[in-house]
Structures are given as structure tokens and as C-alpha cells.
Amino acid sequence: MINGRIASSIVRGALAAALAFLTLTLPALCAEPVKPADVLFPRGSRVGLVPPPGMIASKTFPGFMDPDKNAGIVIRVMPPDAYGPMKASLADDTLKKQGLTVEKRETLELAIGKADLIVGSELSPEKKPFRKWLLLVSTKDLTAAVSVQAPANDSVYSDAAVRTSLASLTLRDKVPDTDYLGLLPFKVGDTAGFRIGNVIPGRALLLIDAPAYPHMIATNGLPEYEYNARVIATPAPGGPSDPNQLANLARHAFNSIDGIKDRH
């Protein structure tokens, strides 16, 4: 599917290749100040931007895509201390081994924080030429890695258009709970006072009773926190076809948990 090709190609050539960095000069990039209403945030992400015309929000990866042109933007959010190791891993030779030929490096001061940019080119598995823009941004709260892919010599996704989009990178204070819950394959109604501890997109939800973590991010694993109570919700295959048997299934699953002495 085209969605998967965009995500895997961008992540492989950009994020997985170690995200590269474009340092933009803001006055030269934006003719007008960015309007908050124009910035779009991938679901579950604190980092967003104004995507170039023609791109829409992806439902399969954190970013934006143009399926007709196999173009896209992937936004990845990591801890603050990831900036140093990420930057150190982005030598030209290393990227070259991953198929990306570096043409230019720049260093910028964006409104969101210090940014490094790499611009280069890459051939797709079908030997079609693509342009890549790789941006790494350091803030006090997080490291943001942004990768852009577009067909070479495409007039819509010109260097100027992509730079304008990257210059609009914006950090919001908090991700709404509805965003996090929207990453799950099931619906959650009343959280009964519990806080969202973390979300594994498409797989699991961790609810905890305390404390408050205002800067949660969706990750690939469930971290350990101090808490008095927790709820982990995850879908599983199988189960009774008769809804009346769901209570018995839940009771059996609960009784199988080791270490619980007071069951009532």
C-alpha cells in the first residue's frame, strides 16, 4: 500500500538512517508569521507544523503524506538527551551507506529551538530519484526529528516550500487525552479519575492514579512509574462469542495474575 511505502521509505532513509538536520534561517523561509490555526499536529504528538499544500494527515504514521506523489513528512519525538547521540550518528559516510547522498548541511535557530538540517538525495527501490530533508531539533523538553521525502524536481515540493514548512515547526504544551486515546484500536469512555500514563499506538493503554505527567509521549514500550494503582488495557484475539460470558473471561484473566491476595 502507498501509505506503508511512504512511511517505511521515509523512516528507513531518514529516521532509521538517523535523522538529519537542516538549519534554517527563519527570515528567509517565511514571508509571513506562522498562524497557530494553520499548524497541524499528528495525533499524539506535541510537535506539529504547517504541511506543504497537497499533503494530508496520515492515519498510519505520525506525519503527513501525498499518496499520489509518494511524498511525506514523518515527525518523531524523543527524550531531550537523544539529540547528542542522534547528531553524532549522522556523518556523511554513515548516511551514504543507507542510500542518502548529503548535499548540504545547515544549522538554524528556530522558534522551537536549535535545529540541524541535512538536505540530500536518494533513489527509491524502483530507482526513482527523491529529495530528502532531515531536521533535528533540540528543546529543553524533547528532541524532535523530522524527515521529508518528495520526488526530485517536483515543483510543488520545492526546496523553498519544504523549508517554509519546516520553519513552522511548533511545540504545544500538552497533547489532549483525546489524541492519545485516538491512537488505540478500542474506545475508552470514562477513565474514572485515572491519568494516562502512556500509550503504545494500536496496542495498549496504561492508566495510573498518580502523579501527573504533563509531557507524556506515545512510545514503543510501557515505562515504569511510581503509582498506587494502575490499569493496563490491550486488545487480544479470541474471546467468547456470547457477551454473557465476558464476565467469566474477565474473572479468569484477573485470577491468573500472580501476587494478588485480596480478591473480592
Side-chain angles (χ1 to χ4, degrees):
M1 293 177 59
I2 239 171
N3 293 21
R5 290 175 57 202
I6 293 175
S8 61
S9 177
I10 295 175
V11 171
R12 174 181 56 80
L15 297 178
L19 253 42
F21 326 102
L22 211 197
T23 308
L24 316 166
T25 313
L26 284 177
L29 297 176
C30 295
E32 300 179 0
V34 176
K35 299 177 182 179
D38 296 331
V39 176
L40 300 180
F41 294 87
R43 182 172 287 179
S45 177
R46 289 185 63 203
V47 179
L49 49 69
V50 180
M55 285 198 183
I56 59 174
S58 171
K59 296 181 180 180
T60 58
F61 61 86
F64 307 91
M65 59 182 291
D66 181 342
D68 294 333
K69 295 188 176 182
N70 198 21
I73 298 174
V74 173
I75 299 176
R76 181 183 176 190
V77 178
M78 298 167 286
D81 57 3
Y83 176 81
M86 282 290 292
K87 183 172 181 177
S89 70
L90 295 178
D92 287 5
D93 289 346
T94 301
L95 294 175
K96 181 68 173 179
K97 292 177 181 177
Q98 311 220 358
L100 179 64
T101 299
V102 175
E103 300 171 2
K104 181 184 291 188
R105 289 178 180 266
E106 302 175 29
T107 303
L108 312 173
E109 288 294 336
L110 301 181
I112 190 177
K114 179 183 177 182
D116 301 293
L117 174 69
I118 293 175
V119 183
S121 59
E122 182 181 68
L123 290 178
S124 71
E126 296 81 16
K127 304 302 180 183
K128 294 180 179 180
F130 280 84
R131 297 284 291 169
K132 291 289 184 74
W133 294 261
L134 306 172
L135 184 73
L136 191 69
V137 184
S138 175
T139 79
K140 64 181 181 65
D141 292 330
L142 53 78
T143 296
V146 183
S147 173
V148 184
Q149 166 183 300
N153 303 316
D154 188 285
S155 59
V156 174
Y157 301 113
S158 64
D159 185 70
V162 172
R163 285 171 175 262
T164 297
S165 179
L166 291 173
S168 71
L169 209 63
T170 301
L171 179 67
R172 58 181 171 179
D173 292 334
K174 184 180 180 181
V175 177
D177 283 356
T178 52
D179 265 28
Y180 283 132
L181 297 178
L183 296 170
L184 299 167
F186 51 84
K187 291 185 178 181
V188 178
D190 186 0
T191 58
F194 284 85
R195 305 179 190 276
I196 296 178
N198 215 324
V199 169
I200 301 179
R203 293 175 54 196
L205 167 68
L206 170 65
L207 298 175
I208 56 177
D209 64 342
Y213 289 92
H215 299 312
M216 272 300 147
I217 62 172
T219 66
N220 291 323
L222 294 176
E224 290 296 327
Y225 297 122
E226 293 183 1
Y227 49 77
N228 292 322
R230 68 177 178 178
V231 176
I232 298 177
T234 182
S241 57
D242 183 358
N244 296 323
Q245 297 299 316
L246 290 176
N248 289 335
L249 175 65
R251 189 177 300 107
H252 176 75
F254 185 79
N255 289 337
S256 68
I257 301 175
D258 294 332
I260 299 179
K261 298 180 179 179
D262 183 15
R263 295 184 173 95
H264 57 275

